Amino acid sequence: MKKIQNIIKKLYWLGLIGVIGTVFHVTYLKLFYLFFLLVFVDICISLGYRMKYGKMNEYVADLKFLWQNIMILIGNICIYIRHGFHLPNVQTYSPKVSCHLPFQGKWMVVNGGTDQQHSHSWGLAMQRYAYDFYRIENGKSYQGNGLNVCDYYCYDQPVLAVADGIVIEIKNKFEDTKVTGKSEVLCNASDVRGNYIVMQHAPYVFSMIAHLKKDSFCVKVNDKVTAGQIIARCGNSGNSSEPHIHFQIQEGKNFYFSASLPVYFDEIINHINRNDMHHIKEGDIVENR
């Protein structure tokens, strides 16, 4: 049943094709809106499963997680419409803030870039220019069998502010997601981001760093921070298969309704691509100067 539910969760994203049909007046594409009805199938399956096994707390968490996916769908549509289906890119967007990397030492860019090929999630406007980072030693991200979060080299490592700014929002309620060593996610949090922090660095420039370790925050809301300041510790909370840092710059403080922005890095060393010291992509090994 869980496998069927996971397939359903992926299929209802096809409803976004209906938006294209509406914009370009293509009738048959509007039929894809019907895929959004699978949301209610998902709810019914979750409710039946939880009622059968008596795990109502997990059911409530599932509903929150489902609601977040719905908000992502709605937010994605709104962002595209607000930007006239022309989202910011490295050619059109003039960065207002130069960023440092949110960690100490050498880390690998696991996911992310400024083009469609390397993008974290090209179709999701709120995560198009996001990055995932973790540490690699001897070709691996962990020691031992990788079945404990403490096996991972980046776990509990300091997380840094990427620029001067002020803390806008903190969520600190989720335990680490269990790891299996098989790149699968056993998320028990109701928020894909897990524990996270949002900071404002300039008008319409906010950073969001996610999957942080619970109770590791060194700052609080309304605190002023400086670039390079330790703000928390790397964890594995939320929708995460192994400990890593998720980082993005976005145009507003609201995750669902804010387009992500291309990140302009400054004062960093790229050990793989030395020709562009301001933009990074998947596979690069990077560190702050």
Side-chain angles (χ1 to χ4, degrees):
M1 184 61 71
K2 275 293 184 181
K3 289 183 178 179
I4 294 175
Q5 195 170 13
N6 287 334
I7 293 172
I8 289 173
K9 289 178 185 295
K10 292 179 173 66
L11 285 177
Y12 58 59
W13 287 94
L14 291 173
L16 290 173
I17 297 176
V19 179
I20 300 174
T22 298
V23 172
F24 295 102
H25 306 290
V26 181
T27 303
Y28 73 89
L29 289 182
K30 294 179 183 179
L31 295 174
F32 279 84
Y33 279 127
L34 294 173
F35 279 97
F36 284 140
L37 295 176
L38 290 174
V39 169
F40 300 103
V41 177
D42 191 10
I43 291 175
C44 291
I45 291 175
S46 294
L47 179 58
Y49 183 83
R50 297 311 176 193
M51 289 181 67
K52 179 178 180 180
Y53 295 102
K55 300 178 179 179
M56 291 307 293
N57 287 338
E58 292 184 23
Y59 169 65
V60 171
D62 278 356
L63 278 184
K64 290 180 178 178
F65 193 81
L66 175 60
W67 175 247
Q68 186 174 49
N69 281 326
I70 294 172
M71 289 296 293
I72 289 173
L73 286 169
I74 295 171
N76 204 47
I77 294 169
C78 292
I79 293 170
Y80 270 94
I81 292 174
R82 188 171 68 246
H83 285 272
F85 292 86
H86 295 287
L87 297 181
N89 57 54
V90 290
Q91 286 76 39
T92 62
Y93 176 70
S94 179
K96 301 175 183 176
V97 173
S98 298
C99 294
H100 294 263
L101 294 162
F103 47 77
Q104 299 170 341
K106 295 180 184 179
W107 290 48
M108 172 180 279
V109 183
V110 184
N111 202 1
T114 57
D115 58 20
Q116 185 171 359
Q117 179 183 355
H118 300 98
S119 172
H120 179 285
S121 303
W122 188 258
L124 296 180
M126 68 285 293
Q127 296 187 70
R128 173 170 287 192
Y129 300 111
Y131 289 97
D132 291 331
F133 301 96
Y134 58 44
R135 287 178 57 188
I136 293 289
E137 294 186 19
N138 300 319
K140 297 176 65 176
S141 60
Y142 60 88
Q143 57 186 344
N145 58 20
L147 298 179
N148 190 301
V149 290
C150 296
D151 292 342
Y152 291 80
Y153 297 120
C154 64
Y155 185 73
D156 203 34
Q157 291 298 305
V159 176
L160 315 179
V162 297
D164 297 347
I166 184 169
V167 179
I168 300 297
E169 182 182 2
I170 287 176
K171 177 166 283 188
N172 179 38
K173 63 180 292 186
F174 301 115
E175 301 296 338
D176 290 316
T177 299
K178 293 181 180 180
V179 292
T180 65
K182 298 179 181 178
S183 298
E184 61 180 343
V185 179
L186 302 176
C187 180
N188 58 358
S190 58
D191 192 313
V192 296
R193 297 166 291 179
N195 304 316
Y196 64 84
I197 183 169
V198 177
M199 293 171 282
Q200 183 172 13
H201 306 287
Y204 307 107
V205 180
F206 296 76
S207 66
M208 194 273 288
I209 302 178
H211 308 311
L212 300 172
K213 184 180 179 182
K214 186 182 178 185
D215 299 329
S216 71
F217 291 92
C218 309
V219 293
K220 60 185 183 299
V221 173
N222 294 325
D223 278 359
K224 292 183 179 179
V225 297
T226 57
Q229 178 180 337
I230 297 176
I231 54 175
R233 297 258 169 189
C234 178
N236 195 50
S237 57
N239 196 47
S240 174
S241 60
E242 67 176 82
H244 70 283
I245 293 175
H246 174 103
F247 158 67
Q248 64 186 65
I249 295 293
Q250 56 196 47
E251 63 183 357
K253 64 181 180 180
N254 189 297
F255 170 69
Y256 305 104
F257 295 95
S258 302
S260 66
L261 302 172
V263 185
Y264 183 89
F265 290 98
D266 199 15
E267 297 298 319
I268 70 170
I269 300 172
N270 189 332
H271 294 275
I272 303 300
N273 182 12
R274 298 180 182 274
N275 294 323
D276 187 350
M277 304 308 294
H278 300 297
H279 299 102
I280 60 178
K281 67 179 184 298
E282 178 183 346
D284 286 348
I285 306 292
V286 293
E287 64 177 319
N288 289 311
R289 287 188 182 278

